[in-house]
Amino acid sequence: MKYKWLNRAENKKIILFFNGWGMDENTVCHLNPESYDILMFYDYNNLETNFEIKSLGIYNEINLVAWSMGVMVAGIDSLFTNQIKFTHKTAVNGTLKPIDDNFGINPRIYDLTIRGFNECSCEKFIQNMFTKPQKIINNRDLENQKRELIALKTYKADEKFEYNKVFISEQDKIMPTKSQIKYWNIEANLPDGHYPFFNFTKWSELL
């Protein structure tokens, strides 16, 4: 697992952002950090990281925003996130069981995605994140993305990991809206597709 500082200005508040599968910082680069330091985690080919949790000791407020597969990854019991007392924890278009018949992506469809993964199918996946033709820059390597797809199948979140705020898009073609509604037991609350971040202009709006 990799990490990257998107904003590091010696603020007293921080947001840890767990990105979705195959994505990089371009998914959220338009969001204004305001008075928050922003630390992004991504590339879940493995869960090893040289990030030191003690470095968060300088902050008096630690928040979590997780999107898509990042919702599950942040909730993995062996990860350092279980050692943090978060002020806010927000899940965006994801569940703690993202590869599941009832609460996520159908496992058969997921396996077919891996089997047929190539440049064309990746481009189609990106387009399916939106409700209308849009594009975001992504500099991740194709083979790296495929390996990450495979690795994510082997991870399992602690279902006791709790989010205190959940965003569900009304037209999510990736993580089916109905599966998210069933898992979280709330109604959809964003008029968008799987990628919802153009609805926001600053990070605080996600908390």
Side-chain angles (χ1 to χ4, degrees), residues 20 23 36 44 76 97 193:
M23 299 293 109
Y36 293 89
Y44 311 122
I76 294 174
K97 299 181 73 174

Side-chain angles (χ1 to χ4, degrees), residues 137-205:
I137 297 170
N138 191 325
N139 295 315
R140 292 280 301 277
D141 175 74
L142 202 66
E143 283 303 313
N144 178 272
Q145 289 175 313
K146 183 174 182 177
R147 290 194 301 271
E148 185 181 8
L149 267 179
I150 296 168
L152 284 164
K153 280 191 65 177
T154 67
Y155 303 150
K156 185 177 181 181
D158 176 4
E159 292 188 56
K160 294 180 181 179
F161 191 84
E162 295 183 355
Y163 287 90
N164 59 280
K165 189 170 188 176
V166 175
F167 285 110
I168 300 175
S169 286
E170 295 174 351
Q171 302 178 62
D172 197 328
K173 299 177 185 176
I174 305 299
M175 194 74 63
T177 299
K178 63 180 183 179
S179 297
Q180 295 183 60
I181 290 173
K182 191 172 184 179
Y183 185 83
W184 298 112
N185 197 28
I186 65 169
E187 294 301 315
N189 50 18
L190 277 178
D192 214 330
H194 188 64
Y195 177 91
F197 296 109
F198 288 149
N199 290 282
F200 306 94
T201 59
K202 50 190 178 182
W203 278 98
S204 62
E205 294 171 339

Side-chain angles (χ1 to χ4, degrees), residues 6-7 13 16 18 26 34 36 66 70 72 86 88-89 95 105 119 122 127 148 161 178 189 194:
L6 305 186
N7 189 57
K13 299 183 291 184
L16 307 186
F18 277 73
N26 289 296
E34 303 174 281
Y36 293 89
M72 180 265 290
F86 288 103
H88 297 284
K89 290 187 286 187
T95 73
I105 301 168
E119 186 174 356
C122 184
Q127 192 53 59
E148 185 181 8
F161 191 84
K178 63 180 183 179
N189 50 18
H194 188 64

Side-chain angles (χ1 to χ4, degrees), residues 1 16-20 41 44 64-67 70 73-74 79-81:
M1 184 172 69
L16 307 186
F17 174 56
F18 277 73
N19 212 338
F41 292 88
Y44 311 122
L64 171 65
V65 175
W67 172 47
V73 174
L79 214 60
F80 63 86
T81 43

